[in-house]
Amino acid sequence: MKIVINKKKLSQIQEKRIIDKKYTILLVDDEPANLNSLTMVLEDKYHIFTANTGIEALEIIKKVPNPEKFDLIISDQRMPEMSGVEFLKQTISIIPKTVRIILTGYTDINDTIDSINEGHVYKFLTKPIEPNNLIVSLQRALEAYELERQNVRLINQLQEMNENLEHLVEERTKLLEESYSSLKKQKEELEYLSNFQDSLVSELELLSITDPLTGLANRRWLESYIKEECDNAGRNQKEVSILMLDVDHFKLYNDFYGHAMGDKCIKKVAEILKKTIAGKKGLAARYGGEEFCCVLTDSNFEGAIVFAKEILNEIRREAIPHEKSSTAAYVTVSIGAYSVLPKDGESSMELIRTADNYLYNAKKNGRNQISTN
């Protein structure tokens, strides 16, 4: 018979356990200000240890009598001598069950994949992160951690009972009757954990192909998409259009307005791309930094130019101030557009490089314009 889960009641159980029990968290960051901020947010609910580098953190873990006291580690990715992923990989053999979270201020898909596949990382968070969001993420992580420990304990108990069943039947009968209610609750928790793990796998799969800052596709998704669509276009004898876009004078924008405003600018450009490509056959992706790529399938040269002009007009209409730009008083973009009927054996990177060359021409010729084949 299928177990029906009272999710509200189960959530209350888990929340009470998190409040009642003090967990121990190790914070690792080479910036003292970040450590102080994290400590202030978390110290009321958790035991906090801090380290400035991965090497220092490893020494702390190795010196304590019981390393498993560290229930969760939050590590910055970019640190001197040893990255966060490298540090977490070295902790696996010492404290394999500890929950690992990477906190970073940049986005890099290779680091994300390394974290998931090699560092046994539960979650990949980007700075800046709101305290409430951080606390919720930690609570969910510790809920999963606690359920996993209970699962292990339950399995060990059941194995022991099976090994000693004949000897313990009479002695344990009364205890099993008294424990029925508790075992039923544990089964509900195990079902909850199974559903939680399925959700986590889906989240990690989405994370591996999505840019965290903008929500657009990332390079991994983009390159796979171009390859598949080029194969389809080649069979159907239809053109594919590749557009490379770059925010003009973005380094000057970042230096003058600050990285927080720089991120907002990148997000706004991404929103314009989503809006412009909506309803069309294609994909918008963040290629890296301030550079984007759009793919239009079943689109000829004229269609690509119309699409590129729509983007330029939307960017100009947004009129994001840019006092340091030598091109205009507002943020502008340059676009390289390339339309082609794909040939057999032509790689996606060759198409991207060609569009990127046209982008370079647009910048060389004064920016805030379209360069095409």
Side-chain angles (χ1 to χ4, degrees), residues 189-199:
E189 291 172 0
L190 288 172
E191 183 70 22
Y192 172 83
L193 176 59
S194 176
N195 294 336
F196 179 85
Q197 288 172 332
D198 291 342
S199 175

Side-chain angles (χ1 to χ4, degrees), residues 87 117 141 178 203 211 285 334 342 365 373:
F87 156 63
N117 295 339
E178 294 174 349
E203 182 179 346
D211 174 60
S334 299
N365 293 331
N373 56 320

Side-chain angles (χ1 to χ4, degrees), residues 26-28 51-62 87:
L26 175 59
L27 306 176
V28 189
N52 296 111
T53 66
I55 293 176
E56 180 183 344
L58 283 172
E59 289 298 319
I60 292 174
I61 293 172
K62 293 175 181 177
F87 156 63

